[in-house]
Amino acid sequence: MYQFVSPIKIITGEGSIVKIKDIIEDLNAKRVMIFADPVIVNIGQTKKIESILDEKKIDYKIYTEISPEPPLEVGDKAVQAVKEFQADLLIGIGGGSCLDITKASSVLANHEGNVKDYLNLYGTKSITEKGIPKILIPTTAGTGAEVTDIAVFSLKDTKDVITHEHLLADIAIIDPELTYTLPPKVTASSGIDAFTHAIEAYTSVNATELTDVLAQEAMRKINGHIRTAVWHGANKEARKEMAWGSLIAGLSFYNAGVAGVHALAYPLGGLFKIPHGESNAVLLPYVYDYIWPACLPKMKKIAEVLQLPTENKHDREIALSVVQYLHDLVKDTGLPTSLKEYGIQEKDIEILAQNGIEQKRLLSRSPRPFTLDAVKSIYQAAYEGKLALGQ
């Protein structure tokens, strides 16, 4: 027995952002706060929303005090802004951090305390009320934040999350047109992030038949189009397929969970402020170089999804070819494949490992258990940029 959870409504397709007009009417919204990354406002991607609100003569405020990998104080300030404006609808448009701030603000505006009080690892309070309705609109094809109930915050040297079903969007709008202007590096990091969601959901111990179907299709679409989207960003078909792949990867990982890659990526973001997608990308092949013996049947299926040769090959050989392919995929998109490239030093591995092993909730979903020594060895391999490949 298992359940599958998603936002109440998901709207997709080019130009689908205009559906906001109907949604606002349905919700009878009177005071709307738009959470947007500053760059999103600067390039005019909030204009359609603003014009709809102006046409309806609805009071609104655009809130842009958002930063990537947001610390707790950014969240607290956003919550206070919602309270002061007395918003009855929130619209988040931007990358994953912007959508996370929107989710947390929509719920915590109706709760006492600060963001830290509701964190998964360190919080002492529980979410009890649904909060303010929210529409989430991603402008990258990668985070899946629009279809999850997770809000990630940076702490001093790691990350923690708020997670509760009340953080789920009331409506998620996935409009590929909003991704057309993404630069190559953002396209690459968000795309590998989405691929990581799919592959970790597929090998998660909590995977189901439904999440497997979604994860496989997400891997197929992202692998088939990410290189074109990165290096030929004007290709609308590639952008559309990446947006769709990101969406179904998000639905898959929200229900099956992510695991070791994300667990070890959090300290990279917390300690060294490496963007989340890049943190996942640089660790992806090294984590799978560790866990492949525990999920051989699924590694074989992944090889088929990625169209790697499998005929007359042993399962072990097939699994190792997948690990090598993951390394090549990251490299093909122009992202770093070693921690050295980020200026991380070998002496930093100890603190990274100590923080990584603390992510017990994520690590528990892996098909192979993680020990502290194993985590150290993964960071060491990623530092050196060398895969073991069964040696």
Side-chain angles (χ1 to χ4, degrees):
M1 179 183 296
Y2 61 85
Q3 66 176 8
F4 186 88
V5 183
S6 72
I8 296 171
K9 182 181 291 186
I10 299 173
I11 302 171
T12 66
E14 292 176 305
S16 55
I17 194 172
V18 300
K19 287 293 184 180
I20 285 178
K21 182 176 181 179
D22 298 331
I23 296 167
I24 289 171
E25 290 177 354
D26 291 342
L27 294 175
N28 195 29
K30 302 298 183 184
R31 296 180 65 79
V32 178
M33 180 168 278
I34 302 170
F35 284 85
D37 291 317
V39 67
I40 297 302
V41 177
N42 292 339
I43 64 176
Q45 287 193 332
T46 62
K47 289 297 184 184
K48 286 184 180 178
I49 300 173
E50 293 178 67
S51 65
I52 291 170
L53 295 174
D54 287 334
E55 178 187 340
K56 294 291 183 182
K57 295 181 170 53
I58 292 174
D59 290 335
Y60 67 90
K61 178 178 181 180
I62 298 178
Y63 187 88
T64 61
E65 296 181 49
I66 298 165
S67 61
E69 320 293 324
L72 296 175
E73 53 266 27
V74 171
D76 287 334
K77 193 171 182 179
V79 172
Q80 186 59 34
V82 172
K83 291 179 178 179
E84 291 176 357
F85 185 68
Q86 297 182 323
D88 59 9
L89 173 64
L90 303 187
I91 300 175
I93 177 169
S97 295
C98 174
L99 302 189
D100 284 357
I101 291 292
T102 307
K103 288 186 282 188
S105 298
S106 75
V107 173
L108 298 189
N110 288 359
H111 288 74
E112 296 180 350
N114 298 315
V115 170
K116 69 178 180 180
D117 297 323
Y118 297 89
L119 292 173
N120 180 62
L121 295 178
Y122 305 107
T124 58
K125 296 181 182 295
S126 299
I127 291 172
T128 57
E129 296 183 39
K130 188 176 187 302
I132 302 165
K134 50 195 169 294
I135 304 169
L136 301 181
I137 310 168
T139 56
T140 66
T143 70
E146 71 277 6
V147 292
T148 72
D149 69 359
I150 304 163
V152 184
F153 291 92
S154 293
L155 306 183
K156 181 180 179 181
D157 53 10
T158 187
K159 293 183 181 181
D160 200 354
V161 303
I162 299 175
T163 178
H164 191 281
E165 62 182 11
H166 289 338
L167 270 70
L168 275 172
D170 293 274
I171 300 100
I173 298 176
I174 296 83
D175 187 340
E177 288 184 3
L178 300 177
T179 70
Y180 287 173
T181 57
L182 284 178
K185 190 172 184 180
V186 177
T187 301
S189 62
S190 58
I192 295 295
D193 189 17
F195 185 89
T196 303
H197 293 154
I199 193 172
E200 287 212 281
Y202 189 60
T203 56
S204 168
V205 297
N206 295 330
T208 67
E209 291 181 30
L210 181 52
T211 61
D212 278 356
V213 169
L214 293 170
Q216 289 179 59
E217 184 63 10
M219 285 188 282
R220 184 177 292 109
K221 285 188 176 293
I222 295 167
N223 177 61
H225 295 91
I226 188 171
R227 296 170 182 84
T228 301
V230 169
W231 303 118
H232 304 281
N235 189 305
K236 294 182 180 180
E237 182 65 20
R239 293 291 194 183
K240 183 176 70 174
E241 292 297 304
M242 287 295 294
W244 183 248
S246 172
L247 167 63
I248 58 178
L251 290 170
S252 182
F253 99 77
Y254 173 53
N255 285 275
V258 288
V261 179
H262 277 72
L264 303 195
Y266 277 2
L268 292 181
L271 276 168
F272 299 101
K273 310 310 175 188
I274 300 174
H276 176 65
E278 293 184 49
S279 297
N280 279 334
V282 74
L283 291 171
L284 176 62
Y286 305 102
V287 170
Y288 275 84
D289 201 17
Y290 170 73
I291 70 170
W292 67 263
C295 52
L296 280 172
K298 287 209 163 179
M299 293 296 283
K300 184 176 181 179
K301 186 63 181 180
I302 292 169
E304 295 172 3
V305 169
L306 300 178
Q307 297 184 322
L308 301 181
T310 59
E311 190 173 355
N312 299 322
K313 290 188 175 184
H314 295 295
D315 288 354
R316 182 178 186 276
E317 186 180 0
I318 293 170
L320 293 175
S321 73
V322 171
V323 173
Q324 181 62 58
Y325 187 87
L326 296 178
H327 180 276
D328 295 342
L329 177 63
V330 174
K331 188 173 183 180
D332 287 350
T333 62
L335 296 176
T337 56
S338 75
L339 296 181
K340 282 183 180 179
E341 295 175 71
Y342 287 106
I344 294 173
Q345 301 178 34
E346 195 165 13
K347 65 180 178 64
D348 298 320
I349 291 175
E350 184 68 33
I351 184 64
L352 284 170
Q354 291 291 344
N355 289 338
I357 200 68
E358 288 301 313
Q359 296 291 336
K360 295 179 175 61
R361 180 178 60 91
L362 298 178
L363 294 176
S364 67
R365 299 176 185 140
S366 172
R368 185 177 184 182
F370 283 79
T371 63
L372 180 59
D373 286 342
V375 171
K376 287 180 182 178
S377 70
I378 291 169
Y379 279 125
Q380 183 69 42
Y383 167 76
E384 297 173 359
K386 294 180 181 179
L387 295 168
L389 295 176
Q391 298 179 4

